[in-house]
């Protein structure tokens, strides 16, 4: 049976504020890996603690989801700073979540940068190189969630650091294979998103925004919990995958017959 990881950005409220459908407790049982906000773009210590507990309760793997120091902009704005300062911020955030996970007797599985930080590390050699070297030195077992073919992806492979490439179920692609960034996502049709995912899993293809087909390679499907209707989306995707004979499993529990392997 083929397997694929399904990950989602979770715990992205702050204090008594929340984003999306506020459905973390319902989404978590449907995914296999949770990217938990670490306090800079969203999240706070209590939210992090509660979210890790929910993930443990449902046997969902836990990852750190660090972002720019940008609560006002939800981490979707690029912040100009030195690569060294940026990596210090990431280490700080990953360390915070790792200690909260430790309090739950949970091992941190992965790191997935958020939003504008994710895109910056995908394309900026200096920051990506420093990030890979520091993470590999401090936590060589932590999987990096990356976009296939980016500088971060290649640098991690060159370093021998474990990576997982993602397919973005609720985002559009351009012809270069990059996701089309948008500040706001409208309500998506769950059946259409599920159809898009099955095409990617079965044919290694996705249709771009301008109606061209390109190849995609991935080990994990990302569904953003702050998208409108995210809970319904995750439910339909999970059901569709299982009906197609594709099991949902975190990377460390996958067998060798992945949907796609790294090059």
């Amino acid at each position: 049976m083929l397997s694929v990881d399904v990950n989602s950005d979770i715990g992205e409220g702050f204090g008594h504020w929340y984003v999306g459908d506020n459905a973390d407790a319902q989404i978590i049982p449907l995914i296999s890996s949770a990217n938990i906000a670490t306090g800079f773009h969203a999240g706070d210590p209590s939210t992090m603690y509660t979210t890790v507990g929910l993930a443990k309760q449902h046997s969902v793997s836990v990852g750190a989801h660090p972002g720019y120091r940008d609560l006002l902009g939800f981490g979707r704005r690029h912040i100009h700073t030195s690569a060294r300062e940026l990596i210090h911020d990431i280490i700080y955030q990953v360390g915070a979540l790792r200690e909260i996970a430790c309090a739950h007797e949970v091992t941190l599985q992965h790191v997935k940068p958020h939003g504008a930080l994710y895109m910056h590390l995908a394309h900026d050699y200096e920051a990506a190189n420093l990030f890979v070297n520091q993470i590999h030195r401090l936590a060589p077992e932590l999987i990096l969630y990356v976009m296939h073919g980016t500088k971060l992806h290649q640098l991690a492979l060159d370093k021998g650091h474990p990576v997982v490439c993602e397919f973005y179920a609720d985002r559009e692609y351009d012809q270069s294979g990059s996701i089309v960034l948008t500040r706001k996502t409208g309500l998506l049709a769950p059946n259409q998103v599920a159809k898009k995912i099955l095409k990617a899993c079965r044919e290694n293809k996705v249709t771009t925004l301008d109606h061209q087909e390109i190849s995609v390679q991935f080990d994990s499907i990302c569904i953003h919990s702050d998208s409108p209707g995210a809970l319904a989306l995750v439910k339909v995707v999970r059901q569709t995958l299982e009906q197609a004979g594709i099991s949902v499993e975190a990377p460390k529990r996958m067998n060798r017959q992945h949907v796609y392997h790294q090059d």
Side-chain angles (χ1 to χ4, degrees):
M1 179 181 292
L2 293 175
S3 300
V4 67
D5 178 46
V6 174
N7 77 80
S8 188
D9 305 340
I10 297 293
E12 291 188 315
F14 188 82
H16 68 283
W17 304 104
Y18 63 87
V19 297
D21 299 325
N22 192 28
D24 284 1
Q26 295 169 280
I27 289 175
I28 285 176
L30 301 172
I31 62 176
S32 47
S33 296
N35 319 311
I36 300 177
T38 48
F40 275 30
H41 77 279
D44 58 79
S46 293
T47 302
M48 292 158 67
Y49 193 93
T50 298
T51 309
V52 171
L54 285 169
K56 179 181 180 180
Q57 178 183 343
H58 295 285
S59 300
V60 170
S61 293
V62 169
H65 194 43
Y68 280 124
R69 194 188 297 264
D70 182 27
L71 283 173
L72 185 62
F74 198 63
R76 289 179 173 157
R77 303 178 297 184
H78 177 74
I79 293 179
H80 295 279
T81 185
S82 71
R84 190 166 298 278
E85 288 178 343
L86 190 60
I87 304 312
H88 291 167
D89 280 356
I90 295 173
I91 292 171
Y92 179 92
Q93 293 175 79
V94 173
L97 188 71
R98 186 157 62 174
E99 289 305 299
I100 288 174
C102 184
H104 282 283
E105 299 181 334
V106 168
T107 300
L108 205 61
Q109 172 190 260
H110 66 276
V111 178
K112 175 186 171 179
H114 167 79
L117 177 59
Y118 184 97
M119 299 305 296
H120 180 67
L121 291 171
H123 301 296
D124 185 275
Y125 177 86
E126 182 185 7
N129 188 53
L130 185 56
F131 175 50
V132 168
N133 279 292
Q134 289 284 53
I135 288 293
H136 192 73
R137 182 174 67 86
L138 296 171
E141 76 287 352
L142 282 184
I143 301 169
L144 296 182
Y145 276 45
V146 299
M147 187 187 305
H148 187 274
T150 59
K151 286 185 173 64
L152 181 59
H153 179 210
Q154 191 57 55
L155 285 166
L157 292 180
D158 292 345
K159 192 72 175 179
H161 196 92
V163 295
V164 158
C165 291
E166 297 184 281
F167 179 73
Y168 306 94
D170 50 4
R171 297 292 186 267
E172 297 286 356
Y173 280 77
D174 63 24
Q175 289 191 51
S176 73
S178 295
I179 54 175
V180 178
L181 295 180
T182 178
R183 287 186 179 269
K184 291 187 178 182
T185 302
L187 189 64
L188 301 174
N191 290 332
Q192 289 300 313
V193 173
K195 183 178 178 180
K196 173 182 173 181
I197 288 170
L198 280 185
K199 181 182 178 71
C201 290
R202 290 170 169 168
E203 303 176 28
N204 197 18
K205 299 286 185 181
V206 67
T207 302
T208 67
L209 194 59
D210 58 354
H211 309 295
Q212 303 297 313
E213 282 200 347
I214 61 170
S215 297
V216 287
Q217 297 186 46
F218 62 96
D219 300 289
S220 184
I221 297 164
C222 173
I223 302 173
H224 295 86
S225 68
D226 64 315
S227 296
L231 177 57
L233 194 61
V234 176
K235 283 181 177 178
V236 171
V237 167
R238 176 72 186 241
Q239 181 182 41
T240 301
L241 287 170
E242 291 178 345
Q243 288 176 347
I246 301 171
S247 63
V248 175
E249 300 180 22
K252 66 181 180 182
R253 295 196 296 270
M254 284 182 178
N255 57 40
R256 294 186 179 182
Q257 193 180 15
H258 290 196
V259 172
Y260 293 109
H261 298 85
Q262 305 305 323
D263 291 337

